[in-house]
Amino acid sequence: MDRINQHTAPVYEALMEFRKRRVVPFDVPGHKRGRGNPELLEFLGEKCVGVDVNSMKMLDNLGHPVSVIREAEELTADAFGADHAFFMVNGTTSAVQAMVLATIRDGDEILLPRNVHKSVINALVLCGGIPVYVPVRVNHDIGIATGMALSDIEQAIREHPKAKAIFVNNPTYYGIASDLAGIVKLAHRAGMKVLADEAHGTHLYFGENLPVSGMAAGADLAAVSMHKSGGSLTQSSIMLCGPGVDAEYVRQIINLTQTTSASYLLISSLDLSRRNLALHGETAFRRVSSMAEYARSEINDLGGYYAYGRELVDGESVFDFDVTKLSVYTQGIGLTGIEVYDLLRDEYDIQIEFGDIGNVLAYISIGDRIQDIERLVGALEDIARRFAKEKRQLYVGEFIAPERVCTPKEAFYADGEQLPLAEAAGRISGEILMCYPPGIPILTPGERITKEILEYIEYSREKGCSLQGTKDPECRMIRVLRNGLAER
């Protein structure tokens, strides 16, 4: 099939034509090209505020595109090797939720790893789906969850043959990739769809020697965070459809929750970023991989730290590794990841992606420079010299397998009561509770709260992790189901 000419950017070009016309606005937004909000105009500039406009004929409509947005989406599908692509302006969260809502209905089972983003669980609250967790293995040396082994998925399919879909992280926040192509074969043989969360995998579509992308592996749907490694504005994302997917039904699902006032700043950033990646992505991500591998080598030479990479690959739960992810285990210098994260920010003015109990993640992408890498390595060396503690076996945590008593939807909407966390052992959670980032739930609605879970929550709090998700902003109270409601 002939490829489409990727040099064009139809939404961006339509906005530039719109600017030339000097259209008098008697529509929204009310700032009227910034004239009504001088401080905003000064802050963002006339070029930016001047294209913060409403849908109109020459600019198309995201909810029902027929011209420039549709053309831009077709270009995106071609660039990513998909049958269809949708621009998403409510973040990859909305793309993940749309994948689930388009596939799972009330009472349907979905196979998924425990280390999914909270958006997946929230989608199950909305649709009434039933999560079936495939065992997630833990690398005990660095304290991270890995991927799903094919043998574990085969067993899950045998035990839950009526499940409608399998949800896969491709890759995880830490760069771990499961055997997505193998999962697709197993799932399709069992009549199940495959949903790929590629929030951290835009570059897989354009890089070399990286894990396979969702569309190349044959996944049915993929949610891709263009703003993370693809260069578009924050909150902009895309959703991809493989062969045999009813794309117009998917658009109907998207329109259930996506805004009808889509930002043309976000839409045009997706359009321009797609063009940049289609034309220059291979070269750009070759450079990104090279920088990340250089940083990994330099950090490992410091001693104490462990910047892990392809040596983790075991062909099972770590089928492949995304070398652009600069994940570093820090407990070898006696500090947790969150402590190193805070030191980098407060002492060295370096903002990395996140720190958890055992690790930090520096996100390397197309906007990074080698001098920035050198500064990060130098700061880590200085931290080890100034702040290292006596090396000790710090708790890194087992990946706690939850007991699901009822569905997320049942628990979320059930009558409940607020209890101090310390008094909640044995009760059923009516809320989600997680460390953010990366936003992986410790508890989800419908799960039994155990002493082990409570100990992990308090350890995370003590080490400075941000606990989120409960009605109580301090996460010291939790809503639990009234006794008897879920016991059946």
Side-chain angles (χ1 to χ4, degrees), residues 258-404:
Q258 182 155 258
T259 178
T260 55
S261 301
S263 167
Y264 277 89
L265 299 175
L266 300 182
I267 295 171
S268 59
S269 82
L270 286 170
D271 194 23
L272 287 170
S273 297
R274 178 273 315 156
R275 179 168 71 176
N276 181 49
L277 294 182
L279 299 179
H280 310 295
E282 186 175 325
T283 300
F285 289 119
R286 188 183 303 121
R287 176 174 166 272
V288 169
S289 295
S290 176
M291 282 193 296
E293 291 283 42
Y294 169 73
R296 191 171 284 112
S297 174
E298 291 291 298
I299 291 169
N300 285 331
D301 284 345
L302 297 177
Y305 298 104
Y306 174 33
Y308 38 94
R310 287 194 185 278
E311 71 278 0
L312 297 184
V313 173
D314 59 14
E316 293 185 321
S317 62
V318 186
F319 184 78
D320 205 347
F321 186 83
D322 174 10
V323 296
T324 72
K325 298 293 189 298
L326 185 57
S327 303
V328 183
Y329 179 71
T330 65
Q331 291 193 5
I333 63 167
L335 298 176
T336 64
I338 192 68
E339 289 170 326
V340 173
Y341 172 96
D342 287 342
L343 287 167
L344 284 169
R345 182 194 61 230
D346 297 339
E347 299 287 331
Y348 301 91
D349 291 329
I350 294 174
Q351 181 63 56
I352 59 174
E353 178 68 10
F354 78 84
D356 63 18
I357 290 173
N359 305 267
V360 293
L361 171 65
Y363 216 98
I364 313 297
S365 195
I366 57 178
D368 286 296
R369 306 170 298 176
I370 195 65
Q371 58 262 43
D372 300 323
I373 300 291
E374 298 283 8
R375 183 174 169 184
L376 172 63
V377 173
L380 290 172
E381 181 178 26
D382 203 47
I383 286 172
R385 180 180 61 83
R386 294 175 59 196
F387 301 102
K389 300 176 183 177
E390 183 179 349
K391 184 178 179 181
R392 59 193 189 277
Q393 193 65 37
L394 295 178
Y395 174 67
V396 295
E398 191 55 72
F399 209 79
I400 302 170
E403 177 196 351
R404 181 180 59 80

Side-chain angles (χ1 to χ4, degrees), residues 3 9 37 78 96 158 165 197 216 232 272 299 307 378 427 471-472:
R3 301 300 299 271
N37 193 339
D78 177 74
V96 166
R158 285 194 300 270
D197 181 351
S232 65
L272 287 170
I299 291 169
R427 302 294 291 274
K471 181 179 177 182
D472 172 19

